[in-house]
Amino acid sequence: MKASRTDSIKQTGRKPTLSDVARAAGVSYATADRVINDRGNVAQKSVRKVHDAMAELGYVRNVAAANLSRQRTYRLAFLLPKGRNAFFSRVRAHLDGLSEHLVADQISVDVIEIDAFEVEGLGNSLLSIVDAAYDGIAVVGLQSVDIEAPLRALREQGVVIVGLVSDLPVDYRSAYIGIDNIAAGRTAGRLLGLSHGGRKGRVQILAGSLDARDHADRLRGFREVIGQDYPNIELLEPVMTLDDARKVGAVVQQALTAEPGVTAVYNVGAGNSGLVATLEHCDRPARFFCVVHELVPHTHRALMHKQVDLVIDQRPDVEVNRALTILKALIDGRDIPPMQDLVPTIYVRDNLPSHIPDTNLTEQGDHD
Amino acid sequence: MKASRTDSIKQTGRKPTLSDVARAAGVSYATADRVINDRGNVAQKSVRKVHDAMAELGYVRNVAAANLSRQRTYRLAFLLPKGRNAFFSRVRAHLDGLSEHLVADQISVDVIEIDAFEVEGLGNSLLSIVDAAYDGIAVVGLQSVDIEAPLRALREQGVVIVGLVSDLPVDYRSAYIGIDNIAAGRTAGRLLGLSHGGRKGRVQILAGSLDARDHADRLRGFREVIGQDYPNIELLEPVMTLDDARKVGAVVQQALTAEPGVTAVYNVGAGNSGLVATLEHCDRPARFFCVVHELVPHTHRALMHKQVDLVIDQRPDVEVNRALTILKALIDGRDIPPMQDLVPTIYVRDNLPSHIPDTNLTEQGDHD
DNA sequence: CTGAAAGCGCTTACAG
DNA sequence: CTGAAAGCGCTTACAG
């Protein structure tokens, strides 16, 4: 296979430029430019001639040249929840590591902090950047009609908007980059079910808050799979923790010491440093099984030390790269290159990346 | 965080160009160009002045402009095993899907077919492209001193070489893009062990050939984990199949009907269409567990239909994208952007990508 | 509605 | 060893 141009007729060996198109169409360069860029003020007849010539020659616009002449630079912003959440620290760390390459590619990225889970705060942040002239933004979103107006204002400025990790109202963004959290929950359920190998089980589930769409989705997926395929496993009532590590630790401790005790724990949300701390000094039953989300330093360590058996991760680095690629394509008005679904990634002790993601946490382990 | 340039002194708001550097250094544009591109024939004094100016201004070369003026186009080749292997069909399919975008990015990719597992064939293919003036090649390699000479010849032509999926002799390539197959085998072992939940087990292992490094590595990792953490699981002697689907089917059939029967099957290699065919019409013991490698149409289907419980995949699309990025960076003489390890991806029924990878197999299911 | 010309940040001959 | 100039494929005023 050659990455073959669909060139017809004249095979010059050289890619046709707009000059070639103009000449073939019998119009000036400027006119050809007007039609390929849809600038208007062109006679119908000229438009047709240019289109024919483009098709004939298999013209492909050279985006790099266009960007150069226009001194284009991609002005992007990422709106991420503020605070010391270890997962978003990974996102920031990855963006930091990329910064040299971004500069070289004429991309500037601002990171803007937003209040996590607060509709009003998000709305205000969005409003505050309406005049900032960003070409595109990636936002960790919420589902609420209250942010539709700010999003509309941005869109009217020509800002390309994508949802990242947690989606925005579907009509107000051009793409969503994140995993399917129902699938993530199902995956947790499947492997937890598997680990019981037909034996009876009792599972303590923890979640931050069911108002968070991702948590609710994971819980739903988890219940679906257990309910359907593992009838011998009993699910205890989920406890809400607000992702507070202390609360998480306490709930796990109680689950382990209750009578009858649990055979497994699944934390749908964050706050796993508390869970790890409890597991470090508590006796667990034989073949106890523990599943959590997001690979961060403390969950990585816990997986190595056998306090945790499985981590389901959403690969923030992959998500960031993808957001960048998609934003750029959308801004250029190109179509998005084919890419496979983002899948919840399963880590066991044996397929861990060799470099522990370094998230530069100044305050370690309080949240995750 | 802003993706901040390390600009010192004068913050003009505009990125400095080579003109700025030349002016600051008090030399002509041409001279500045000579030093930043190492073209020689420049007085030491001028060199120093230019370097100082570059540092002072925080100059970053505009690669896009350079490529434009030079009419640069990246000429790449992928050397892939010929034949109807479903995994490499996915690689090709992904490359095909990318072709429009590659053209737009001034990248041309030739796919060159090589004889799988044949040192001499690979050597000849390499030799045959020495004069083809590729800027970079990605090759599914072998470990053999016999390919060192061709690789050296290519390198002397200035061709950038990376190993893909299966590595080349380490001194003759600039990077390796592929998974750690020991980790892949360990991962299979871990989850297979888990699935037994403490019960006794007997596992039939299959492999294509232990001469293939990836197969040998997987087998080794698998044995390590089972031997160490799952003493209640017995491993039968691995059977070599040469990745032949018929052979694979026959071995599985026999393993299932033997007395005592097996509790699990792990196929380290390919030929899984045979395995699936057998599983479709054979009775399996309760909680029988089956692990295979590479998500292709028939393993995807088998996972959905519960003939297979786990697929370990190496995400050929991700590997291809990465190879492209790395080749480009290396050719430009830039450093490689930070990227996380490629990890063996675990698929269960619940985290499958929604689009079955379409590999355009003309002859389906004979191999994989 | 149409066209000629300068300029984006580089590289490549070419002339000294 | 050094410099002036044309050109890469575009866009953006500007003039008709």
Side-chain angles (χ1 to χ4, degrees), chain A residues 139-143 162-170 173 175-177:
Chain A
V139 6
V140 176
L142 294 171
Q143 298 292 335
V162 302
L164 181 70
V165 177
S166 169
D167 206 1
L168 291 164
V170 63
R173 49 77 170 161
Y176 164 59
I177 298 112

Side-chain angles (χ1 to χ4, degrees), chain A residues 133-189:
Chain A
Y134 285 113
D135 297 304
I137 62 175
V139 6
V140 176
L142 294 171
Q143 298 292 335
S144 162
V145 292
D146 293 345
I147 55 173
E148 292 182 359
L151 289 172
R152 200 178 307 118
L154 282 164
R155 174 167 285 188
E156 275 160 12
Q157 299 294 308
V159 181
V160 171
I161 301 164
V162 302
L164 181 70
V165 177
S166 169
D167 206 1
L168 291 164
V170 63
D171 292 332
Y172 294 84
R173 49 77 170 161
S174 304
Y176 164 59
I177 298 112
I179 60 169
D180 174 345
N181 281 298
I182 297 180
R186 290 186 60 94
T187 303

